[in-house]
Amino acid sequence: MRIPRDRFSVGVVLASLLYLLALMLCYLLRPDGAAAVTVLPAWAWAAPGVVVLGLGWRVGRRVLGVALLGWVAFLLWIPDESVALWHALRPLPASSLPRLRVVSLNCGGGDPLAAAEVAAFHPDLVFLQETPAASAVQALARTVFPGRGTALVGLDAAIISAGPLTPITLTSLSRRARAALACATVTLPNGLACDVLDLRLLPPLVRMDYWSPDCWRAQRENRQDRRAQLQAIIRAYQQQRPGHPLILGGDFNAPGGDAACRVLKPALRDAFAAAGVGWGNTHENGFPIVRIDQLWATPAIRPLRVFVRKTQHSDHRMVIADFLLTSPER
């Protein structure tokens, strides 16, 4: 039996709207069971829904227009990338307080040429992941901050500063967990003082076999493991340094807004979500579709402007953030 075209069009539009509703719930709630969906950017899933909607063109312009408006609202509200559109319209706030520029970069397997690219952005503080050899990091500190640079080098994370770094050992973490991070108190020449924590979290899974239940299970467990890792780190820090101003950043190996990062709230906030401008995704460098390199800070450290720049020697893009310390240093 042949289905009338108008009935087909109505069914197609309803299917598109149900798909839209499902996507909105996935990205707003981000349940672990939907980690296989939200590991990809929201806009990547929107294309099939809009294409399917186009098949229902005979349903009528008004109905079709309302449905299309729903998809436009989704694209302006839900994707992590959309937040920068609104921030770009806001002027930078005027302030006489000193500003702190933080640059974070995954060096793509420890390439010292990649690490050296941070110097062009005149940072006060540098976070590196997949770090070069300790000698190369020390040399970079002397290059970026002649006569005053210091470095703290871990196995997979390093911090370079224009002022003294006092290491912080998170004693309640295992030695293996501590190997994925570097933590210190930094005192900069401009008088700013705060704690800094650089990390590289559990790598993500790259799987597109959505027809396999194992794909959904593996993505769910991957997120849960990363959440547990991040929760252990922030809990250990807060036990030893309660109330201290903190900048935490590095390679999260999770997209912006991921549910694993909710353990950081409300004590910290995502700097790009608060003040990001431009295309904020950082991986892969040539065609970045996810924002896995992130910077977070406690409320006393206010993000003014956060942006991303392409690199020449890494598979990640570089994150540059300007912060304002809005409360007295401890």
Side-chain angles (χ1 to χ4, degrees):
M1 178 178 179
R2 187 175 179 181
I3 300 175
R5 291 296 299 270
D6 55 346
R7 187 178 299 177
F8 171 79
S9 296
V10 170
V12 163
V13 172
L14 286 176
S16 178
L17 289 175
L18 288 173
Y19 177 61
L20 171 61
L21 177 61
L23 281 183
M24 290 185 70
L25 291 175
C26 283
Y27 280 92
L28 288 173
L29 302 178
R30 295 187 186 255
D32 290 343
V37 174
T38 58
V39 72
L40 293 177
W43 48 263
W45 294 106
V50 175
V51 169
V52 168
L53 184 64
L55 298 176
W57 62 274
R58 294 193 62 176
V59 78
R61 292 183 179 179
R62 184 172 298 178
V63 174
L64 200 63
V66 171
L68 185 60
L69 188 62
W71 279 107
V72 171
F74 172 84
L75 290 171
L76 290 177
W77 179 34
I78 298 297
D80 180 65
E81 297 83 359
S82 298
V83 67
L85 296 175
W86 312 113
H87 294 160
L89 302 176
R90 301 185 313 193
L92 278 175
S95 175
S96 59
L97 294 175
R99 299 182 181 185
L100 174 68
R101 170 158 287 191
V102 181
V103 174
S104 180
L105 175 65
N106 181 304
C107 299
D111 189 343
L113 293 176
E117 293 184 53
V118 303
F121 295 92
H122 309 291
D124 299 298
L125 190 64
V126 176
F127 290 175
L128 300 176
Q129 307 86 45
E130 292 193 43
T131 57
S135 58
V137 176
Q138 296 286 354
L140 180 61
R142 293 190 293 269
T143 300
V144 177
F145 309 113
R148 56 192 175 95
T150 57
L152 176 65
V153 185
L155 289 180
D156 212 15
I159 301 169
I160 297 175
S161 169
L165 287 168
T166 304
I168 298 172
T169 301
L170 302 181
T171 54
S172 58
L173 285 178
S174 67
R175 182 176 299 180
R176 181 179 178 182
R178 291 198 299 269
L181 59 88
C183 188
T185 298
V186 58
T187 303
L188 297 167
N190 59 12
L192 297 178
C194 66
D195 292 347
V196 289
L197 199 162
D198 180 25
L199 49 76
R200 180 171 179 259
L201 296 179
L202 180 73
L205 294 179
V206 181
R207 294 188 60 169
M208 303 296 289
D209 52 332
Y210 288 103
W211 58 87
S212 169
D214 185 64
C215 171
W216 295 80
R217 177 198 57 78
Q219 292 286 9
R220 181 186 71 245
E221 292 177 355
N222 182 260
R223 177 195 280 173
Q224 291 171 342
D225 290 344
R226 188 176 299 102
R227 177 192 291 119
Q229 182 187 20
L230 185 56
Q231 188 170 41
I233 290 169
I234 194 64
R235 183 179 296 162
Y237 171 80
Q238 290 174 337
Q239 287 173 351
Q240 291 182 218
R241 308 283 292 175
H244 283 249
L246 169 69
I247 299 174
L248 180 151
D251 182 358
F252 282 58
N253 278 316
D258 191 76
C261 298
R262 289 177 179 171
V263 299
L264 298 177
K265 300 178 179 180
L268 295 98
R269 59 177 174 172
D270 182 350
F272 189 86
V277 294
W279 190 254
N281 293 338
T282 60
H283 194 268
E284 203 268 339
N285 185 43
F287 187 71
I289 63 169
V290 287
R291 185 170 63 88
I292 63 176
D293 300 272
Q294 303 174 30
L295 291 166
W296 292 64
T298 49
I301 304 170
R302 180 184 176 189
L304 298 176
R305 190 60 57 97
V306 185
F307 56 98
V308 167
R309 288 293 179 266
K310 188 175 182 179
T311 59
Q312 298 297 319
H313 301 283
S314 175
D315 57 345
H316 289 240
R317 293 195 172 190
M318 187 185 312
V319 182
I320 301 101
D322 293 322
F323 290 97
L324 190 70
L325 192 63
T326 58
S327 69
E329 59 190 78
R330 296 184 66 93

